[in-house]
Structures are given as structure tokens and as C-alpha cells.
Amino acid sequence: QVQLVESGGGLVQPGGSLRLSCTASGSIFSSDAMAWYRQAPGKEREFVVRITSGGSTNYADSVKGRFTISRDNAKDTAYLQMNNLKPEDTAVYYCHAEIRNWQGTIINYWGKGTLVTVSP
């Protein structure tokens, strides 16, 4: 009933930039907090950044000053601008959203992920 679709991943050289997008679609009353997580090869999924519907944000220390999250509430879309990328940023990036349905219930959803590879 609700889908999260990520886009924008790819291959980039160290120091480069990428912009990820995550759009929620389906039976949505509102999208509350949206977030990005990532999972590097052989590692557990880790938190990257979160933004509330009001625009409050919190970042993992490893990305502060380099990554910026924003959102368009009218489009139920979150963006992740990633600058000064490092090889250690290589991972599959997953979008997470807390979606409020028409009954007022908040349900957590995950996207399928988009691969970001940072390599010379």
C-alpha cells in the first residue's frame, strides 16, 4: 500500500557529490519523520540522518558537515545531498519513513536501497 522508492545512487570519485531521493507513494495521510540508513559490505546497517516533518534534523557524526538532508512535504520526498564523499561512504543507502495512514496509525517503511560507490 505504501512504497518508498530511492534513486540517485551511483559511482563517484572521492571528493565528489551525489544526491539521493526517496519518494513515498500510496495510501498516505502524511509522512512524518524520514531518514537514511546505510549498510556497507560485511557491516550492519547504520543510521545516517533523520528529518522530521517540521524540518528538525540529526546526523551521524561521520557525515556531519558533508551530508545534508531536506524534504518536500508536498511530494512526500526526502533528499540527501552528499558532498566530499569518501571511500568509507560506500554502501547501500536505505530510505526509512514513518508514514501516518488515514486511520491515524504510524507505520514504518523501508525502501529497497540504492548503491553508492566511492572509488577512484
Side-chain angles (χ1 to χ4, degrees):
Q1 294 177 336
V2 174
Q3 282 189 320
L4 299 182
V5 178
E6 302 108 329
S7 63
L11 173 64
V12 64
Q13 293 185 344
S17 298
L18 282 176
R19 188 189 192 213
L20 306 183
S21 298
C22 171
T23 299
S25 63
S27 181
I28 299 171
F29 176 76
S30 67
S31 56
D32 290 3
M34 299 184 77
W36 291 93
Y37 289 73
R38 66 186 181 185
Q39 187 167 17
K43 295 188 177 181
E44 294 186 353
R45 191 173 299 189
E46 65 175 6
F47 169 79
V48 177
V49 60
R50 181 178 184 267
I51 186 168
T52 67
S53 58
S56 297
T57 59
N58 60 298
Y59 292 84
D61 288 343
S62 59
V63 306
K64 281 181 181 177
R66 300 188 298 121
F67 290 11
T68 303
I69 191 171
S70 60
R71 64 184 292 167
D72 184 334
N73 290 335
K75 297 181 179 179
D76 293 315
T77 297
Y79 305 96
L80 182 62
Q81 178 67 41
M82 305 186 294
N83 298 328
N84 190 23
L85 282 160
K86 304 175 181 180
E88 52 263 43
D89 295 317
T90 296
V92 177
Y93 283 71
Y94 296 92
C95 179
H96 175 269
E98 299 168 18
I99 301 295
R100 187 182 301 272
N101 63 20
W102 291 96
Q103 290 72 43
T105 302
I106 297 176
I107 301 174
N108 293 307
Y109 291 93
W110 289 94
K112 293 183 178 181
T114 185
L115 178 62
V116 171
T117 304
V118 185
S119 179

